[in-house]
Amino acid sequence: MILILTLLAPLSGVLFYIAALQCALPPRRWALLGCLFGPAVLPLFMAKRRWSLLCARGRSYGLLRA
């Protein structure tokens, strides 16, 4: 179990780095968090990505229009 987490942490750091570059978030910060905490950072990353998108577009703009 510890071996799997040890191998998964650097991989998730690389994946968070690539995802942060695509979403215009600071990539080094997310890569470091990904290496330290592994995939447990994913909910925080998704929330930050959504918040930055909401701030860029404005609060009156709906992401999901009916």
Side-chain angles (χ1 to χ4, degrees), residues 42-59:
L42 185 62
L44 183 63
F45 180 77
M46 292 297 186
K48 181 64 177 173
R49 187 176 75 171
R50 177 155 170 76
W51 180 254
S52 68
L53 182 64
L54 190 68
C55 288
R57 290 187 174 170
R59 296 189 190 273

Side-chain angles (χ1 to χ4, degrees), residues 19-52:
L21 280 175
Q22 292 174 348
C23 298
L25 294 173
R28 286 185 294 170
R29 179 184 306 163
W30 289 104
L32 180 65
L33 285 172
C35 285
L36 290 177
F37 299 111
V41 182
L42 185 62
L44 183 63
F45 180 77
M46 292 297 186
K48 181 64 177 173
R49 187 176 75 171
R50 177 155 170 76
W51 180 254
S52 68

